[in-house]
Structure formats: C-alpha cells, structure tokens
C-alpha cells in the first residue's frame, strides 16, 4: 500500500485538486484506490461519489472526524491511499496521517505571500521524526502557475531553495475547475490540450511511486 498525504497550512492552494487527480490516475492504472477526505468540507468525498459508476471509481472514506476510525474503513487490500488534508491543518493536526504516509505533497501558489505562509508548516514537517529519519518524503508542488509571468518564475526560484524537492509545476487551467466539479480528472481524457497538462504531472507521479 502506498499512502500519499496532500497537505498544507493554507486553503485554496489545490489540495483537493491534487488529491483527486492522484486518486484518479491511480484508479485508471487499475490500482485499488481509496480517497480519504480529512477536510470537513467533504469536497473529495463528493468528487468520488460523482465517479462511483466508472470502472476507475475510487473508494471515498470520511476522515474528518475520527482519524483512527477512518483508518479502519480503509480496506486491507487497498493499493493506493490518497489523503486530502484539511485546510489550515498544522503538523499536530496531521499527526494521525503523518504516521501512516509514505510521502507528503505540499501545494504552493506562486506568490511570495503564499510561500511565506507555508514556511511555518514546512518547518513543522522538517522537525517530524519520520521526516528526519527519511521514512517520510516531502515534495513541493507549484500550482496554478502562469509560467510566462515574473511572479511564477520568481516563486519557483524561491521554492527551489527549500531543502525539499519541487516535484511538479502545474499550470493554471480552467480544465481543473471544470473536471473536478464533474468527479473527473485530466487523466480521464485524451484530447491534445488535456495531454499537454497531463505532462505537468509526470515528475510528481514518478516521485510518488518511488521507494
Ligand atoms: N492548476 C489549477 N488551475 C486552475 N484552477 C485551479 C488549479 N488548482 C486548483 N484550482 C482551483 O482553485 C480553487 C482551490 O483549489 P482546491 O483544490 O479546492 O484547493 P484546497 O483543497 O487546497 O482548498 C478551486 O476552485 C480549484 O478549482
Ligand atoms: Mg480542499
């Protein structure tokens, strides 16, 4: 079982978008996939319910109230577990998930304000015993990039200075907004435009499969 936690201290940075996409990609690859929603807003649960009829359905698990209980609802034969972390969750709130995860994906928007706001969260992770031992990998994802802008370029240069790898640079695209609302992902489609955006995910997917 591979467990990926998508987390950050901020809301609206793309945690649900990334968690649902990682879950969809895994399910489309034929792996038994669970999407554990730790956010009481329940966006990931609703997303999973909307694709319940597909062959590449993922099993939604509500983790917003009792984390221990939620873990018991994860089938033993699950091959991928993606956890959509709650907005504003700091390291202490994430403890029950950090214990189980193989990797943490931290989305960051390309703005200095956003990066500053993420610093205490990343410092908290850096002090976690499992991160220190190398049992739990942390990767940064630049999200909603407009690569042609100075702001995006400067933000990515700032992120590159962190001791954590920048494992993907996802561009800003309305496709994410539209598809996630339908219980779908970019990986469910093969049009030329969508495939271009799929390519943004390649390094992240490779990184999550490591180890
Ligand atoms: N790469 C992207 N391009 C365009 N819109 C995005 C992208 N990633 C996220 N969004 C949009 O930004 C908003 C916040 O994303 P969401 O995944 O819900 O963040 P979080 O779960 O961290 O609160 C949503 O409206 C979502 O559709
Ligand atoms: Mg969310």
């Amino acid at each position: 079982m591979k467990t990926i936690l998508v987390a950050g201290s901020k809301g609206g940075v793309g945690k649900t978008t990334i968690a649902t996409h990682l879950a969809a990609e895994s399910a489309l690859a034929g792996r038994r996939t669970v999407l554990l929603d730790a956010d009481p807003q329940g966006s990931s649960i609703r997303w999973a319910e909307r694709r319940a009829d597909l062959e590449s359905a993922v099993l939604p698990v509500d983790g917003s109230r009792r984390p221990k209980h939620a873990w018991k609802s994860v089938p033993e034969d699950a091959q991928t577990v993606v956890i959509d972390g709650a907005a504003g969750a700091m390291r202490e709130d994430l403890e029950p998930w950090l214990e189980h995860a193989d990797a943490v994906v931290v989305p960051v928007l390309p703005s200095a304000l956003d990066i500053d706001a993420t610093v205490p969260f990343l410092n908290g992770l850096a002090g976690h015993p499992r991160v220190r031992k190398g049992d739990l990998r942390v990767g940064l994802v630049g999200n909603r990039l407009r690569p042609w802008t100075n702001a995006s370029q400067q933000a990515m240069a700032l992120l590159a200075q962190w001791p954590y790898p920048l494992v993907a640079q996802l561009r800003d695209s309305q496709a994410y907004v539209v598809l996630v609302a339908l219980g779908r992902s970019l990986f469910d489609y093969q049009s030329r435009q969508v495939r271009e955006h799929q390519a943004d995910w390649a390094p992240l997917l490779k990184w999550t499969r490591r180890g």
Side-chain angles (χ1 to χ4, degrees):
M1 185 191 289
K2 226 349 157 242
T3 303
I4 312 293
L5 170 65
V6 185
S9 49
K10 297 219 10 162
V13 292
K15 292 184 298 297
T16 297
T17 302
I18 293 171
T20 53
H21 273 72
L22 291 176
E25 197 277 339
S26 164
L28 285 160
R31 297 169 63 81
R32 288 184 295 277
T33 303
V34 171
L35 182 54
L36 198 158
D37 196 346
D39 192 329
Q41 286 179 356
S43 316
S44 274
I45 301 262
R46 280 193 298 279
W47 176 87
E49 285 169 358
R50 289 194 177 114
R51 68 182 291 126
D53 293 340
L54 301 188
E55 205 179 311
S56 55
V58 313
L59 180 71
V61 169
D62 182 0
S64 64
R65 268 162 299 202
R66 292 163 53 205
K68 285 230 167 69
H69 188 77
W71 268 116
K72 288 193 191 123
S73 313
V74 174
E76 264 172 37
D77 66 350
Q79 293 170 296
T80 305
V81 180
V82 181
I83 305 170
D84 184 0
M90 290 302 277
R91 183 188 137 190
E92 307 82 70
D93 313 303
L94 291 173
E95 201 52 57
W97 316 122
L98 290 170
E99 221 177 278
H100 293 272
D102 298 296
V104 190
V105 174
V106 182
V108 188
L109 297 180
S111 86
L113 282 182
D114 234 87
I115 293 174
D116 285 349
T118 308
V119 169
F121 178 76
L122 290 176
N123 284 339
L125 280 183
H128 192 281
R130 292 196 62 222
V131 174
R132 288 219 302 259
K133 268 196 277 173
D135 290 343
L136 175 59
R137 295 176 289 130
V138 179
L140 306 177
V141 171
N143 188 30
R144 304 200 67 169
L145 303 185
R146 294 159 183 256
W148 58 92
T149 63
N150 272 333
S152 278
Q153 286 160 17
Q154 283 166 6
M156 290 311 101
L158 257 180
L159 284 187
Q161 291 170 17
W162 276 91
Y164 302 120
L166 178 60
V167 287
Q169 303 189 37
L170 308 177
R171 282 167 290 170
D172 189 88
S173 165
Q174 203 55 21
Y176 290 107
V177 184
V178 173
L179 296 179
V180 170
L182 298 171
R184 298 295 194 275
S185 76
L186 292 178
F187 300 113
D188 292 284
Y189 301 90
Q190 296 302 329
S191 72
R192 193 173 61 85
Q193 200 205 356
V194 159
R195 288 171 79 113
E196 247 176 55
H197 285 285
Q198 285 175 6
D200 290 352
W201 291 78
L204 169 59
L205 296 173
K206 194 168 160 204
W207 182 81
T208 58
R209 288 189 192 112
R210 245 178 49 191

